[in-house]
Amino acid sequence: MSVVLHQEPLAPRTSFRLGGPARILIEADRDDEIESILREQGTAPLFVLGGGSNLLVADRGYDGLVLAIRSRGVSLRRDGDAVLVTAAAGEPWDDLVARCVEEGLAGIECLSGIPGQVGATPIQNVGAYGQEVSDTLVAVHAYDRMQGQRVSLRPEECSFAYRDSAFKSQWPGRYVILSVVFRLRPGLPDAPRYGELIAALGDEPPTLGRLRSLVIELRRRKGMILDEGDPDTRSAGSFFTNPILEPAAWAAFQDRIAPQLHPGERIPSFDGGGGRIKLAAAWLIERAGFSRGFQRGGAAVSSRHALALVNRGGSAADVLALAREIQQGVREAFGVELTPEPVLLGF
Ligand SMILES: Cc1cc2nc3c(=O)[nH]c(=O)nc-3n(C[C@H](O)[C@H](O)[C@H](O)COP(=O)(O)OP(=O)(O)OC[C@H]3O[C@@H](n4cnc5c(N)ncnc54)[C@H](O)[C@@H]3O)c2cc1C
């Protein structure tokens, strides 16, 4: 049954706990209801809300319709030597990861502890600790608002990239995701690829359960596990993506930063694909003078991770002002542009 609410506060529905109300909010827990709301709405603007963990809502709220997806359900089907896991868009992502780990299915265990719902994971190709949903995703079932019909998209059609997809960059607002299908492997996980996780595992053989618990432990230390009692988690996780530089920009960056490096100091940098280099945004932020705990008004840099901006009893405007200040500081210091990761609504 769908529930219609008027002037519904959005702040409690976001991990930042910030922002004003939605003029109308409809909660829908069945695909046919979601589809009929979308049909009625045609191509008029609306905002699709998942778990609100990658979202900053303006203090004045959103003067439109918010469709909150609450559909649930997971099904497993054998497919050769793999298992196809289909999960409804409204399933909490981490419940799905926990269930797959329990069932002995490998492929998403390093994505443990990430808040939000399954339906949002393809939007920015959710990733962490060496895995991304695009590694195992085989289909996205969605409602296409432009064609007015349900469709199934294959991963090749979704242009998945680092914290990006066609849903985010080419077709924002066009598809409402109803369910996602993952192809997982029964058995032991692959050896972890992420340095910090490899180090934490040490000589232990990786098991699904051990990787899940280690990832959660590492995330908790950084304030990256939602916890009402942990003020560093009133955030949207990382506020900026790690910038990816073309080879020429990387060379210019190295020249610019060389005089500032201590003897033997290495710039944290990673393979960004296609000859490009991915920089660590957290390092740039700290080097530009915004250390952990730096506070401006009611917003701050998390005291445990320089990439997360947190709400310290302020407003959405405070968070955005701090984000702009950091962007400007990093631009002036290094000539590098930081791109916000969360979706900004109503600004
Ligand atoms: C503490 C913390 C840690 C985090 N760690 C990570 C991390 O390690 N890696 C990572 O990638 N992200 C991370 N995030 C960000 C966030 O959890 C993910 O991006 C998550 O997938 C967002 O899901 P959500 O349901 O909360 O989406 P929302 O915030 O509700 O929405 C985000 C976007 O997805 C769209 N959307 C949501 N559901 C649907 C749907 N069914 N159909 C179409 N569009 C939809 C919304 O319209 C919006 O544009 C973290 C966030 C927090 C607070």
Side-chain angles (χ1 to χ4, degrees):
M1 270 288 287
S2 53
V3 179
V4 182
L5 302 158
H6 295 267
Q7 291 302 325
E8 173 67 6
L10 289 173
R13 294 173 182 264
T14 73
S15 50
F16 260 124
R17 298 279 187 265
L18 289 172
R23 186 158 55 80
I24 302 175
L25 184 141
I26 306 182
E27 283 184 343
D29 60 9
R30 289 207 330 253
D31 286 359
D32 57 347
E33 280 169 6
I34 296 171
E35 191 173 336
S36 95
I37 293 162
L38 293 171
R39 261 186 213 294
E40 211 168 284
Q41 193 66 8
T43 50
L46 68 78
F47 182 78
V48 179
L49 178 67
S53 64
N54 208 21
L55 182 62
L56 181 63
V57 179
D59 298 307
R60 64 167 182 222
Y62 179 63
D63 186 22
L65 172 64
V66 171
L67 174 59
I69 308 282
R70 294 291 172 262
S71 51
R72 302 293 297 263
V74 176
S75 68
L76 275 59
R77 184 164 65 82
R78 193 86 199 191
D79 179 39
D81 58 357
V83 173
L84 293 178
V85 177
T86 304
E91 275 293 321
W93 169 254
D94 194 48
D95 289 3
L96 179 70
V97 179
R99 161 108 188 253
C100 293
V101 165
E102 261 170 42
E103 302 266 355
L105 299 174
I108 54 174
E109 59 285 349
C110 297
L111 302 175
S112 291
I114 298 178
Q117 298 183 176
V118 166
T121 58
I123 306 290
Q124 69 157 4
N125 183 21
V126 157
Y129 294 91
Q131 283 179 348
E132 292 182 326
V133 289
S134 59
D135 298 339
T136 46
L137 182 155
V138 288
V140 175
H141 301 305
Y143 181 85
D144 178 351
R145 299 191 66 211
M146 213 163 93
Q147 311 266 4
Q149 62 184 25
R150 285 198 201 192
V151 293
S152 290
L153 297 162
R154 284 171 288 117
E156 311 84 85
E157 298 172 278
C158 302
S159 306
F160 287 120
Y162 163 67
R163 279 318 82 73
D164 197 17
S165 74
F167 300 108
K168 180 172 161 182
S169 50
Q170 290 170 39
W171 319 309
R174 175 169 169 182
Y175 293 98
V176 177
I177 294 173
L178 301 172
S179 57
V180 185
V181 188
F182 297 93
R183 192 167 198 275
L184 303 182
R185 266 180 312 96
L188 287 172
D190 288 337
R193 289 186 293 228
Y194 195 82
E196 204 184 352
L197 190 54
I198 297 170
L201 187 67
D203 295 331
E204 269 181 76
T207 63
L208 291 170
R210 187 66 185 131
L211 288 181
R212 175 169 167 78
S213 59
L214 275 178
V215 165
I216 290 176
E217 201 179 307
L218 291 170
R219 294 184 68 94
R220 199 180 295 283
R221 277 190 221 153
K222 298 178 191 166
M224 288 288 178
I225 294 284
L226 281 190
D227 176 351
E228 275 300 325
D230 179 351
D232 273 332
T233 71
R234 291 194 161 205
S235 78
S238 303
F239 199 89
F240 300 103
T241 54
N242 290 318
I244 297 183
L245 303 187
E246 295 297 334
W250 166 236
F253 171 78
Q254 284 175 298
D255 287 347
R256 185 165 180 161
I257 202 167
Q260 302 172 35
L261 293 176
H262 310 299
E265 190 182 5
R266 204 189 131 263
I267 305 167
S269 58
F270 312 90
D271 180 11
R276 298 175 309 162
I277 298 292
K278 193 198 284 179
L279 296 179
W283 187 80
L284 295 171
I285 292 169
E286 293 201 273
R287 287 294 287 231
F290 303 96
S291 48
R292 295 175 201 185
F294 176 95
Q295 186 157 351
R296 190 70 92 201
V301 175
S302 159
S303 60
R304 314 234 286 290
H305 197 317
L307 209 42
L309 302 191
V310 297
N311 165 17
R312 293 261 188 265
S315 61
D318 287 345
V319 173
L320 206 58
L322 176 59
R324 300 277 183 252
E325 187 178 343
I326 291 173
Q327 280 176 305
Q328 191 182 340
V330 168
R331 191 182 304 123
E332 283 169 3
F334 309 116
V336 173
E337 205 53 48
L338 290 183
T339 305
E341 186 184 300
V343 174
L344 304 177
L345 179 66
F347 287 93

